[in-house]
């Protein structure tokens, strides 16, 4: 239907007749000429219709916003070039106009910001806009570059099942009733983890897959119920083998897609160091703020919150210096405290350093009266505070204080304009093997149950489970975890021991993972891998904070597709075919718990 794309028409086509298809972006009707900006996925070109041909002029003047048209004409130089578009030096003198589909009045225009609900309901219109075209094409180029890099290095693209068995991956499974097996269910994969490990045992040394994954969890800007990851696995490798290759892969795709040169070697930081310095296992190194632990300085002060946690076995008292932030108002500081509260803080102490030389008299703080000169001097010296600085304090359990002060660090960095330009990649390594879950009274895996511990001895792992370190690693970019992986357990006895420590008994382990435990007995090679979040990387490349902007048809934060109306009820007949019935919601009882409906 067309000979060329709108955005690719240029001086090489002058005096040639071309046919273009696209949507009417704008029309400008003057007394003797109509100007039309025609748009397709490659960009915009200007078309001109003069009044010499009355019928053509009338047809051009009647064109409306987003009409779908085909126009033929001769390419010529523009009298006034438009340097903002690729085709800006030329225009088309139209000789034929065909309206392929007239557009009704639209719910919004491309230059408007109608809100995300409207955009998602009319996603096909949203995706037409130049900004969304740019974002989606960035994602497309990213996937193409990843495939090209891996194909050239002998990786094998192997598909794994979508209908599989429920496994513990840290989130709820999506369940699919099995029509031919009454009362039984498939699960949609949270990742291809076990299948890719099995592939290593089957002799496919280098595997990759652009895999669709599903997790029934709360949605956020960087979370979706269904998402896409680059899944990779290697046989006969160490951590460094995986890290070196994938680091070069990320450098390569950023160079190809963005024209960006990342660091020649990504820095490495242990989990312990990341939490100690930044309160996060995915620190944004563009922000130059770091923690100072002051527990030893406040163990005997008169501020009870500090002394309680400073003397607690698992406590932490941390200070965060914000240079030049003493000018913040009380309301601004209260906003920071409210942000900390959202991340678990029960309070946030603060101190403005008005004049460092005056000691206690030179500070403004609700807690100053609880500190003597020596303690105050020690704190200010330890943090490196100067006149005009603001110092914020957090005291709680080590993990809680790290979490909420880490969130405060990010907010301060953004609010104060301290986030540097550029890209700061990082490897975070040596994660804890387990976390203790107080509510469930058991260990949970920090990565997943198939991550190898740093020790090879099962007895050693059992004896030191609380402090055990794993062979897990994450790639972080500008404060975002973009990839996570580990060396896997390749020994059946060690895998059984890890299951046991996670509260998965022998019978349950056999029922859920018997095939894996069997496979590990038959010469399973050492292996490891990593998975990269395609959605997150694409969002970073496209310069957007929400992965919904780089997913063609995402769900809302309430887990709905506004365009199609999913999820939706299913007829009873269809439910009966898969042996499922829907129970009514349970009515609340007098004590607020769910009773019988």
């Amino acid at each position: 239907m067309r000979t060329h794309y709108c955005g690719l028409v240029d001086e090489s086509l002058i005096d040639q007749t071309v046919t273009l298809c696209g949507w009417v972006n704008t029309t400008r009707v003057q007394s003797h000429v109509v100007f039309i900006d025609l748009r397709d996925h490659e960009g915009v070109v200007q078309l001109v219709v003069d009044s010499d041909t009355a019928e053509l002029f009338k047809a051009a003047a009647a064109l409306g916003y987003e009409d779908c048209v085909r126009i033929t004409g001769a390419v010529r130089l523009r009298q006034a070039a438009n340097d903002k578009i690729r085709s800006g030096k030329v225009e088309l003198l139209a000789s034929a106009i065909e309206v392929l589909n007239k557009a009704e009045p639209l719910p919004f225009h491309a230059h408007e910001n109608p809100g995300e609900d409207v955009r998602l309901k009319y996603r096909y219109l949203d995706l037409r806009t130049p900004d969304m075209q740019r974002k989606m094409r960035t994602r497309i180029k990213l996937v193409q570059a990843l495939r090209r890099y891996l194909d050239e290095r002998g990786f094998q693209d192997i598909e794994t099942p979508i209908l599989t068995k429920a496994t513990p991956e840290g989130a709820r499974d999506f369940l699919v009733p099995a029509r031919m097996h009454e009362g039984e269910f498939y699960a949609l994969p949270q990742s291809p983890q076990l299948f890719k490990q099995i592939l290593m045992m089957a002799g496919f040394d280098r595997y990759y897959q652009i895999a669709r994954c599903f997790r029934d969890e709360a949605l956020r800007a960087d979370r979706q119920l269904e998402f896409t990851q680059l899944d990779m696995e290697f046989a006969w490798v160490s951590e460094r083998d995986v890290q070196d290759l994938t680091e070069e892969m990320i450098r390569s795709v950023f160079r190809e897609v963005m024209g960006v040169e990342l660091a020649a070697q990504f820095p490495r930081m242990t989990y312990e160091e990341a939490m100690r310095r930044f309160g996060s296992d995915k620190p944004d190194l563009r922000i130059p703020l770091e923690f100072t632990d002051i527990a030893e300085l406040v163990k005997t002060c008169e501020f009870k919150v500090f002394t309680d946690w400073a003397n607690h076995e698992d406590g932490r008292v941390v200070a965060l210096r914000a240079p030049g932030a003493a000018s913040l108002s009380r309301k601004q500081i209260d906003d920071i405290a409210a942000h900390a509260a959202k991340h678990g803080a029960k309070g946030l102490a603060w101190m403005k350093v008005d004049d460092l030389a005056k000691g206690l008299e030179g500070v403004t703080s609700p807690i100053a009266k609880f500190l003597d000169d020596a303690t105050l001097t020690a704190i200010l010296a330890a943090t490196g505070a100067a006149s005009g600085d603001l110092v914020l304090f957090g005291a709680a359990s080590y993990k809680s204080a790290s979490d909420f002060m880490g969130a405060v660090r990010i907010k301060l960095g953004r609010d104060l304009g301290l986030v540097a330009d550029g890209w700061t990649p990082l490897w975070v390594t040596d994660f804890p093997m387990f976390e203790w879950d107080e509510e469930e009274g058991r260990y949970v895996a920090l990565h997943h149950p198939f991550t190898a511990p740093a020790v090879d001895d099962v007895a050693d792992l059992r004896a030191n489970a609380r402090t055990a370190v794993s062979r897990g690693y994450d790639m972080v970019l500008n404060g975002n975890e973009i990839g996570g992986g580990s060396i896997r357990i390749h020994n059946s006895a060690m895998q059984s021991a890890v299951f046991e420590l996670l509260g998965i008994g022998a019978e349950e382990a056999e029922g859920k993972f018997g095939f894996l435990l069997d496979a590990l007995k038959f010469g399973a090679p050492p292996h490891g891998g990593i998975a990269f979040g395609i959605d997150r990387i694409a969002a970073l490349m496209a310069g957007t904070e929400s992965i919904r902007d780089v997913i063609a048809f995402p769900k809302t934060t309430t887990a709905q597709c506004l365009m199609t109306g999913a999820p939706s009820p299913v007829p009873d007949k269809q439910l009966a075919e898969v042996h499922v019935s829907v129970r009514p919601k349970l009515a609340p009882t007098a004590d607020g718990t769910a009773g019988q409906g």
Side-chain angles (χ1 to χ4, degrees), residues 1-5 17-21 70-73 92:
M1 292 186 73
R2 61 186 170 193
T3 60
H4 296 81
Y5 293 108
T17 297
V18 300
T19 299
L20 309 177
C21 292
R70 181 169 67 167
I71 300 180
T72 299
L92 211 70

Side-chain angles (χ1 to χ4, degrees), residues 374-437:
T375 302
L376 176 70
T377 300
I379 291 172
L380 296 179
T383 59
S387 297
D389 291 350
L390 172 71
V391 183
L392 298 165
F393 302 92
S397 67
Y398 193 94
K399 186 177 187 310
S400 179
S402 301
D403 287 346
F404 71 73
M405 289 300 287
V408 166
R409 174 181 175 269
I410 296 296
K411 180 173 175 56
L412 272 177
R414 292 175 177 174
D415 290 353
L416 299 176
L418 299 177
V419 183
D421 292 332
W423 302 90
T424 55
L426 170 72
W427 283 107
V428 178
T429 65
D430 300 318
F431 282 80
M433 186 74 183
F434 307 110
E435 281 185 316
W436 181 257
D437 189 309

Side-chain angles (χ1 to χ4, degrees), residues 25-333:
N25 204 53
T26 61
T27 56
R28 303 181 299 283
V29 182
Q30 299 180 5
S31 57
H32 299 292
V33 67
V34 177
F35 294 99
I36 303 165
D37 284 345
L38 193 65
R39 186 190 75 250
D40 62 14
H41 73 272
E42 290 289 357
V44 176
V45 67
Q46 176 174 282
L47 297 92
V48 179
V49 181
D50 58 36
S51 57
D52 292 348
T53 309
E55 286 301 316
L56 194 64
F57 185 85
K58 182 179 178 181
L63 292 178
Y65 179 58
E66 292 301 293
D67 283 351
C68 180
V69 300
R70 181 169 67 167
I71 300 180
T72 299
V75 180
R76 67 183 188 184
L77 280 173
R78 285 178 66 158
Q79 290 184 348
N82 180 356
D83 295 332
K84 295 180 180 179
I85 57 176
R86 282 188 295 180
S87 62
K89 293 182 178 180
V90 297
E91 62 186 12
L92 211 70
L93 180 61
S95 57
I97 297 176
E98 179 184 359
V99 177
L100 302 173
N101 202 337
K102 187 75 177 173
E104 295 184 5
L106 271 62
F108 65 92
H109 283 208
H111 63 274
E112 297 175 341
N113 185 14
E116 189 172 57
D117 284 357
V118 175
R119 290 175 54 210
L120 293 181
K121 182 177 180 179
Y122 300 98
R123 188 61 164 178
Y124 39 87
L125 297 179
D126 188 39
L127 288 171
R128 277 189 207 169
T129 63
D131 186 52
M132 286 302 298
Q133 286 278 318
R134 176 188 65 81
K135 290 172 180 175
M136 290 303 301
R137 285 160 74 86
T138 297
R139 180 196 178 102
I140 292 164
K141 291 176 183 177
L142 166 63
V143 173
Q144 290 172 336
L146 289 169
R147 285 192 182 279
R148 190 157 41 244
Y149 183 92
L150 295 171
D151 290 341
E152 290 172 355
R153 285 157 182 80
F155 281 82
Q156 299 160 97
D157 183 359
I158 304 176
E159 294 179 344
T160 54
I162 292 296
L163 295 176
T164 182
K165 190 171 185 174
T167 59
E169 290 268 359
R172 293 185 184 91
D173 287 310
F174 279 102
L175 300 177
V176 180
R179 181 181 61 82
M180 293 180 287
H181 300 273
E182 184 175 352
E184 297 182 350
F185 295 81
Y186 300 104
L188 302 183
Q190 295 188 34
S191 83
Q193 182 62 44
L194 295 182
F195 289 104
K196 67 178 182 179
Q197 289 190 238
I198 295 292
L199 286 170
M200 296 305 100
M201 302 169 201
F204 296 94
D205 283 21
R206 288 185 164 193
Y207 144 94
Y208 87 95
Q209 182 182 186
I210 305 294
R212 296 290 285 165
C213 304
F214 308 85
R215 294 182 184 177
D216 189 1
E217 60 185 354
L219 279 70
R220 302 198 298 266
D222 65 345
R223 294 279 177 90
Q224 281 279 299
L225 300 179
E226 50 184 317
F227 57 95
T228 306
Q229 65 185 37
L230 167 62
D231 209 57
M232 303 174 66
E233 199 77 4
F234 309 64
W236 290 289
V237 289
S238 67
E239 292 92 325
R240 198 63 186 240
D241 295 324
V242 177
Q243 293 166 11
D244 286 349
L245 187 143
T246 55
E247 178 179 317
E248 177 52 40
M249 176 186 74
I250 293 298
R251 268 194 298 270
S252 174
V253 298
F254 265 79
R255 185 183 304 121
E256 181 175 339
V257 177
M258 301 281 293
V260 167
E261 284 293 339
L262 297 180
Q265 184 170 350
F266 295 180
R268 282 167 168 74
M269 184 181 298
T270 65
Y271 171 90
E272 185 279 328
E273 181 184 356
M275 297 302 290
R276 173 171 50 81
R277 294 173 60 189
F278 308 109
S280 172
D281 59 3
K282 49 181 186 295
D284 189 342
L285 300 184
R286 296 173 302 167
I287 299 173
L289 304 178
E290 292 196 28
F291 293 169
T292 303
D293 282 292
I294 61 168
E296 291 300 320
L297 305 180
V298 297
K299 279 189 171 182
T300 59
C301 78
E302 295 182 16
F303 189 45
K304 191 173 185 301
V305 175
F306 281 4
T307 55
D308 283 352
W309 287 110
N311 290 283
H312 193 285
E313 180 184 5
D314 187 40
R316 186 176 198 188
V317 185
V318 64
L320 180 64
R321 168 184 168 248
S327 58
L328 293 182
S329 68
R330 181 60 186 267
K331 182 183 182 305
Q332 288 173 308
I333 295 175

